[in-house]
Amino acid sequence: MITWMQRHKKWLVITIWISTIAFVGAGFVGWGSYEYGKQGGVVAVVGDREVSVEEYNQEYSNLYAQYSKMFGPMFSKELAEQLKLKDVAYRQVLQKNLVLSYADSLGLDITNEDIAKELVKYNAFLKDGKFDKETYIKVLAQNKLTPKVFEDSLKRNILLQKVQGFFELNPNSVEIENLSKLLFIEDDISIKILNSNDIKVDIKNDELKKYWEENKNSYMSEVSYDLEVKEIPLISANSTEDDIKAHYEKFKIDYKHADGKIKSLEEAKSQIIKDLDEKFTKTEALKIYLKVKKDEDKFDSKVTYKESSLPYSNENNSKILEVKEGEIVKPFFENNKYMIVKLNKKNVSQALTFEQATSLVTKDYEKVVKAKKLDELATSLLKDFTGTNLSGITRESVNKISGLEQKEASKFLNELFSSVSKEGIVKLEDKVVLYRINNSKFGEYNKAKDDVVKGTIIQLQEEELMANLMKKLENSFDIKSSIQEKE
């Protein structure tokens, strides 16, 4: 059977089965869903299951949120494109639907009772400790979701969990003890650390220019944005006691202590006043926004920012990055004021001249030359080096290796205990470690480490199980795709 799956070799093995809905506190993470066709469309059919645009967008949104958390401020839509997150999300959603199709073939189903049990686990849907339908609908509406979309997603996740239950593993005590002795093996070693800072190099200008010519596409100017900005500071709404009380009664669930207990009116009063001021200011800002669009009001200033230096939150920076030249971003709140921003021009990245890039090129080329000389030196010394002797070294001995930082020591130890050679070279960022294993012995069994060892066994076995399951499902269910991935 020739299927879409068989034509795509880069098939991702699921290591985390369940992707919970990106929901934290009182909101879902709306990290930039991928627009594909019209809402309500289908991007693929897996077995008898249709993969909707909404399901695909949710997978992409969740993945985008995870990477944004990992990379922090440096993460952007451009980086997401470079990492091909759209393709990764697409492969993941297809894999999940393969597993769901497998569940269908087994006759598994999810009842309303199953969904109800899951809903009560979300604190944001609770009122006075109990599930509240009105709160549930309100929170979903705030995040542009309907109960049907949300519950369909829950249903898929619960079904995935049921399938996952079939593959739950429980290593026995003998397996745990034997692997523990192997994992915590002890080595007596000799090491010698070579540092690139001790390598002297003479950089000639013609060599530098040749290196730049070969790598000039790596030296580009940063994208920048010409903006016009108007600020609207927070305006007092002059809220009355009745206004404050009415707001509290309507939104008291939003005012909680750290332990989740709802604040009293008096405890929440200052925050309510600020929220009412913000709401009032937003209304005024929208009026000014309309005037600016009609050219009846002017911006306060013109500024240019590099993309990495945009001064607003990630969410608000994304709004600026998404608009076209000449468009005005709707008022957004930042540092107790509303901002109206117009994108006049996006200055695209351009190749730097040799003169502009000289300092960067020199730094990179020097690093390349030093690394080469360091490798040559390490190779020449390996057979007969005299180094520092260390006894009883385990995977946990990160503090026993003088001359390496903890991160460097951790990488060295990982490679040392993964190697099958008695001697060798481990390359670090700007160092090289020569090592020779003089003696090895199995580690002493320590019952206190059973949980760590058990987790390692389960992870390895689950990855193998999932890889085999995916191979079987790829050949069991047809996949019809309407998205062509980039190879």
Side-chain angles (χ1 to χ4, degrees), residues 215-375:
N215 298 277
K216 62 172 62 178
N217 289 336
S218 299
Y219 300 97
M220 307 289 289
S221 65
E222 188 176 350
V223 175
S224 64
Y225 299 85
D226 296 339
L227 309 176
E228 288 188 77
V229 179
K230 190 172 187 65
E231 299 182 358
I232 300 96
L234 210 58
I235 304 169
S236 173
N238 296 315
S239 303
T240 65
E241 290 296 324
D242 288 342
D243 293 332
I244 296 169
K245 185 176 181 181
H247 183 86
Y248 175 77
E249 291 300 327
K250 191 173 182 180
F251 299 104
K252 67 171 67 176
I253 193 174
D254 296 333
Y255 301 97
K256 296 180 179 180
H257 292 288
D259 61 4
K261 185 178 179 181
I262 295 176
K263 294 180 179 180
S264 67
L265 173 59
E266 197 58 36
E267 290 171 329
K269 189 173 182 179
S270 60
Q271 184 60 48
I272 292 172
I273 292 172
K274 184 178 178 182
D275 289 345
L276 289 171
D277 289 347
E278 183 183 329
K279 183 179 179 181
F280 180 77
T281 307
K282 181 178 182 179
T283 300
E284 296 302 306
L286 286 169
K287 293 176 183 177
I288 296 172
Y289 165 74
L290 293 174
K291 287 183 179 181
V292 169
K293 286 192 73 174
K294 295 176 182 178
D295 207 24
E296 295 174 359
D297 202 343
K298 302 296 181 184
F299 287 94
D300 299 330
S301 59
K302 293 184 178 182
V303 289
T304 298
Y305 291 113
K306 291 181 180 178
E307 186 165 322
S308 62
S309 302
L310 282 167
Y312 312 115
S313 68
N314 287 341
E315 181 182 358
N316 291 332
N317 285 338
S318 295
K319 293 175 183 177
I320 295 171
L321 301 181
E322 289 170 2
V323 299
K324 298 177 182 177
E325 291 184 357
E327 290 184 348
I328 302 174
V329 180
K330 285 186 177 181
F332 58 80
F333 197 63
E334 186 87 28
N335 294 327
N336 290 322
K337 62 183 72 172
Y338 273 92
M339 314 293 296
I340 302 174
V341 177
K342 178 181 180 181
L343 173 60
N344 282 335
K345 185 181 179 184
K346 177 180 178 179
N347 304 302
V348 298
S349 179
Q350 295 180 333
L352 299 175
T353 64
F354 176 68
E355 288 72 22
Q356 291 171 325
T358 297
S359 61
L360 294 172
V361 174
T362 301
K363 183 178 179 181
D364 290 346
Y365 183 61
E366 184 178 52
K367 190 174 181 179
V368 169
V369 175
K370 282 188 174 184
K372 183 179 179 182
K373 289 185 175 294
L374 196 63
D375 287 347

Side-chain angles (χ1 to χ4, degrees), residues 18 49 92 117 150 159 206 232 236 249 260-261 268 272 297 299 303 306 342 352 397 399 403 412-413 461 484:
I18 314 299
R49 281 184 170 265
Q92 286 187 176
K117 287 180 180 178
F150 183 71
L159 195 53
D206 58 337
I232 300 96
S236 173
E249 291 300 327
K261 185 178 179 181
I272 292 172
D297 202 343
F299 287 94
V303 289
K306 291 181 180 178
K342 178 181 180 181
L352 299 175
S397 301
N399 295 318
F412 166 68
L413 292 171
Q461 291 178 331
Q484 181 66 44

Side-chain angles (χ1 to χ4, degrees), residues 21 23 28 54 58 112 115-116 118-119 122 125 131-156 158:
I21 298 171
F23 181 85
F28 294 81
E54 289 86 354
Q58 181 184 303
N112 290 335
I115 295 174
E118 196 70 20
L119 287 176
Y122 289 84
F125 300 153
F131 178 79
D132 182 70
K133 185 175 180 180
E134 184 178 340
T135 301
Y136 169 59
I137 294 173
K138 172 188 168 186
V139 172
L140 291 184
Q142 287 173 346
N143 294 279
K144 299 179 181 178
L145 285 172
T146 65
K148 183 181 185 308
V149 170
F150 183 71
E151 289 168 21
D152 282 348
S153 181
L154 279 183
K155 189 174 182 179
R156 289 192 295 272
I158 297 169

